[in-house]
Amino acid sequence: MFTIISVVPSSYMVSSLFLLLLPLLRTSALHVGVRGDLRPSPGAKRDHISGLENDRNLEYMVNITLGDQPIQILIDTGSSDLWVSSTIATANDTGIESGVTYDIGEVSGEVKTAQLEFLGYTVPDQAFIEVTPTSNTPQVAGFLGLGPNSGSRIHASLNNQPEGDTVLDRIFRQNVSSPNFLTVLLGRSSDPAEKYPGDITVGEVLQGLENISSQPQVPVTILQTLDSSNQHWQVLLDEDGIIGPDGQPILVQTGVQSTPNPNQLTTFFDTGFSFPQVPLEVSNAIYSGVPGASLQSVDGFGLIWLIPCDAEIDIAFKIGGQTYPVHPLDTNADVLTNSDGQTCVGAFQPISSGTSSTYDLILGMAFLRNAYLLVNFGDFVDGSVNTTANPYVQLLSVTDPTAAHADFVNVRLNGTNKNAPTQVDEALRTKLRPTIDLSQPTSSSGSFKKEKIPIIIVLSIGGALVLIGLIAVYCSRDRFAKRGRGGLANTYQSYQRLSVPAPAGDMHHVQGYHGSWGRR
């Protein structure tokens, strides 16, 4: 019997709305910096930088003022519209209805306009949807969509007129001297040393993270006009761009037919997805080798891997020629418990909405806590007449694998380092070579056993083998003289050479897992 303590609406897809039915889970987060040299200076708060509130790594919120009403709403780079569930007394009616449909659920209401204050910017007459809460709408204050303007339902409802532009488009258009980019840094509330909630900026980079400007500019995949309403901040992973727990690429091909290289997957970055959505074979490659793991359909999650909370799992993504390691606290999510309190979930969840014609996977919060994200809008700003500035994404890794391992040991293993990589490597080596079965000396295969043989038995068997060996050597001298060298060579031919690989057997129980399986 499992008890969900921090979950999503029941569905196969964990959407941008999936955590919004849990307002009672909201907690405060400490506002401190990120680790080491990446720590933003306390004086870095400027007009166009705002701290985020982190609700247990499940949602990230920012403060705005709409009309004269302060509201804390969720940021969502995977959608493009602003909506609130409050009544804004000073708002102006447009007489037009609109709505936003997410992967799960939808919101609708009247399109209104009011003055918006956000990150030090003031936007007059910003269009938004005033949602009347019902039992089928998210029980949150609202959403701030940070996606491309082409995906805005409000903009389409207002006949694509400039007054219906998204919040960021409005800001960029009225501040033509400011750079047209957004940055997002998500914190990790479960980090034992630095519970940094995160920051969001428009037009400037966080102090201490300026190196993001020198990172590769990864082009945003621009969809054809027919699919423009589904445009996201999407890019291509490098070829074989997902590195599994065994340090090897996870072999999977794209389902996007327009991709020239089938070994490059298309992804987009979505701060509204708590759990990244990946192809089933990718999720299986990450979690199937974890001892005790099982793929199940769980109420509130859909299809997801249940794994021990003390399983340390290291993966990475390759984008633009750079490698971005993922913190093991982000691959193993502590949001589900059973009566023993020992079950967590694999945060890289099988994508359950089926295949998409435009993308293969969605990199949500569990990935974005490991990379500072910069999105340059380029010509995506409404009204742009320049056709030379293509949109692009830059990423700066903020996860040090060594420090991440120490974090995991402190949080999940009660500070006891079980030296898990050595244990797993030895298990893998054992699977790669034949196991000696004393009851069947000629067997060339067997299964890895965790039980320890008492030392006195080992010594006894070892002594007996040495004695047998001496007798065999003595006896063989007479045989050697009779057979000659050719006879001895024939004897050796009954054994495999060292260069011949040993039978691999059934490796899926250990392959792909690198970490700890001890009890916490």
Side-chain angles (χ1 to χ4, degrees):
M1 178 74 181
F2 292 101
T3 302
I4 297 172
I5 59 174
S6 301
V7 298
V8 301
S10 178
S11 171
Y12 284 109
M13 187 70 170
V14 182
S15 75
S16 295
L17 293 179
F18 86 111
L19 290 163
L20 308 185
L21 302 179
L22 300 168
L24 297 179
L25 295 178
R26 192 150 296 151
T27 59
S28 299
L30 299 177
H31 289 247
V32 296
V34 296
R35 174 175 286 105
D37 294 337
L38 298 178
R39 182 192 304 273
S41 166
K45 296 283 185 180
R46 289 169 282 177
D47 285 346
H48 312 316
I49 297 176
S50 176
L52 298 173
E53 281 293 321
N54 176 2
D55 181 4
R56 301 181 65 173
N57 293 336
L58 300 176
E59 54 191 28
Y60 293 83
M61 297 155 286
V62 68
N63 294 316
I64 67 170
T65 300
L66 193 58
D68 56 1
Q69 186 168 334
I71 309 173
Q72 189 176 73
I73 59 178
L74 277 72
I75 61 169
D76 184 18
T77 56
S79 64
S80 303
D81 289 295
L82 170 65
W83 62 265
V84 297
S85 57
S86 304
T87 299
I88 308 300
T90 58
N92 299 312
D93 297 336
T94 65
I96 295 174
E97 296 280 331
S98 188
V100 182
T101 300
Y102 296 90
D103 292 301
I104 298 174
E106 60 183 7
V107 296
S108 61
E110 186 174 352
V111 176
K112 296 187 176 184
T113 62
Q115 178 173 289
L116 170 70
E117 294 179 18
F118 171 58
L119 301 185
Y121 292 103
T122 299
V123 182
D125 300 322
Q126 173 63 50
F128 67 98
I129 300 175
E130 189 175 276
V131 174
T132 301
T134 69
S135 59
N136 295 321
T137 57
Q139 303 302 302
V140 294
F143 254 43
L144 174 59
L146 301 170
N149 200 66
S150 61
S152 170
R153 302 303 185 264
I154 294 175
H155 189 244
S157 298
L158 295 179
N159 296 319
N160 299 324
Q161 296 301 309
E163 56 266 26
D165 285 345
T166 64
V167 169
L168 291 183
D169 267 41
R170 293 289 305 280
I171 289 175
F172 293 148
R173 294 188 69 174
Q174 71 181 32
N175 297 273
V176 293
S177 61
S178 297
N180 295 350
F181 69 79
L182 162 79
T183 82
V184 177
L185 179 64
L186 302 185
R188 183 178 301 105
S189 64
S190 53
D191 193 305
E194 326 242 14
K195 295 179 174 62
Y196 174 68
D199 274 300
I200 182 172
T201 79
V202 170
E204 56 186 301
V205 172
L206 287 170
Q207 188 173 347
L209 298 171
E210 293 86 356
N211 283 344
I212 193 171
S213 300
S214 62
Q215 299 306 300
Q217 296 180 2
V218 185
V220 169
T221 303
I222 301 176
L223 301 182
Q224 300 298 318
T225 303
L226 185 64
D227 293 320
S228 61
S229 62
N230 197 35
Q231 180 72 58
H232 293 96
W233 302 124
Q234 62 185 60
V235 302
L236 289 174
L237 299 184
D238 291 354
E239 182 172 354
D240 299 328
I242 306 177
I243 307 302
D246 59 354
Q248 300 301 313
I250 296 174
L251 302 180
V252 59
Q253 292 194 331
T254 183
V256 180
Q257 294 184 354
S258 59
T259 305
N261 185 345
N263 295 322
Q264 284 188 279
L265 303 184
T266 296
T267 186
F268 70 86
F269 304 101
D270 192 341
T271 61
F273 265 90
S274 292
F275 293 168
Q277 302 290 287
V278 299
L280 176 62
E281 55 266 46
V282 172
S283 187
N284 290 352
I286 295 173
Y287 298 111
S288 65
V290 178
S294 63
L295 183 62
Q296 297 186 26
S297 181
V298 179
D299 288 344
F301 285 89
L303 191 66
I304 200 162
W305 279 96
L306 303 182
I307 58 179
C309 292
D310 53 11
E312 184 178 353
I313 306 165
D314 298 314
I315 64 173
F317 290 81
K318 295 172 64 178
I319 304 171
Q322 303 294 310
T323 300
Y324 300 92
V326 178
H327 199 296
L329 290 175
D330 293 324
T331 56
N332 185 339
D334 189 8
V335 296
L336 181 70
T337 183
N338 61 10
S339 58
D340 296 327
Q342 293 297 313
T343 300
C344 289
V345 300
F348 287 78
Q349 182 180 27
I351 189 166
S352 304
S353 61
T355 57
S356 168
S357 61
T358 57
Y359 61 85
D360 298 294
L361 65 154
I362 303 169
L363 290 179
M365 302 174 196
F367 170 82
L368 290 172
R369 282 190 287 273
N370 300 276
Y372 182 34
L373 171 70
L374 184 150
V375 178
N376 190 299
F377 280 56
D379 292 334
F380 272 12
V381 177
D382 188 26
S384 174
V385 296
N386 193 338
T387 59
T388 61
N390 293 322
Y392 62 82
V393 166
Q394 291 175 295
L395 296 164
L396 178 66
S397 177
V398 295
T399 294
D400 174 5
T402 301
H405 168 68
D407 289 344
F408 192 88
V409 169
N410 289 332
V411 173
R412 299 287 178 84
L413 305 179
N414 292 328
T416 302
N417 188 349
K418 301 179 185 300
N419 199 20
T422 301
Q423 294 179 26
V424 172
D425 290 346
E426 178 58 27
L428 184 56
R429 287 193 295 269
T430 303
K431 290 294 290 187
L432 286 171
R433 62 175 177 252
T435 299
I436 299 175
D437 185 344
L438 295 178
S439 65
Q440 297 179 357
T442 60
S443 173
S444 62
S445 65
S447 60
F448 173 61
K449 298 182 182 298
K450 294 182 181 178
E451 294 82 357
K452 297 180 179 179
I453 302 175
I455 187 66
I456 189 170
I457 297 177
V458 173
L459 293 176
S460 299
I461 294 174
L465 291 176
V466 170
L467 181 59
I468 293 171
L470 292 173
I471 295 172
V473 170
Y474 177 81
C475 295
S476 67
R477 288 188 295 179
D478 184 57
R479 287 197 300 269
F480 179 82
K482 294 179 179 179
R483 284 185 174 180
R485 294 184 182 273
L488 182 62
N490 292 335
T491 301
Y492 280 164
Q493 287 175 1
S494 64
Y495 297 90
Q496 289 186 333
R497 298 177 183 270
L498 292 178
S499 60
V500 178
D506 181 11
M507 293 181 56
H508 74 276
H509 294 297
V510 292
Q511 187 176 10
Y513 175 66
H514 182 72
S516 164
W517 59 70
R519 307 281 292 181
R520 63 173 183 171

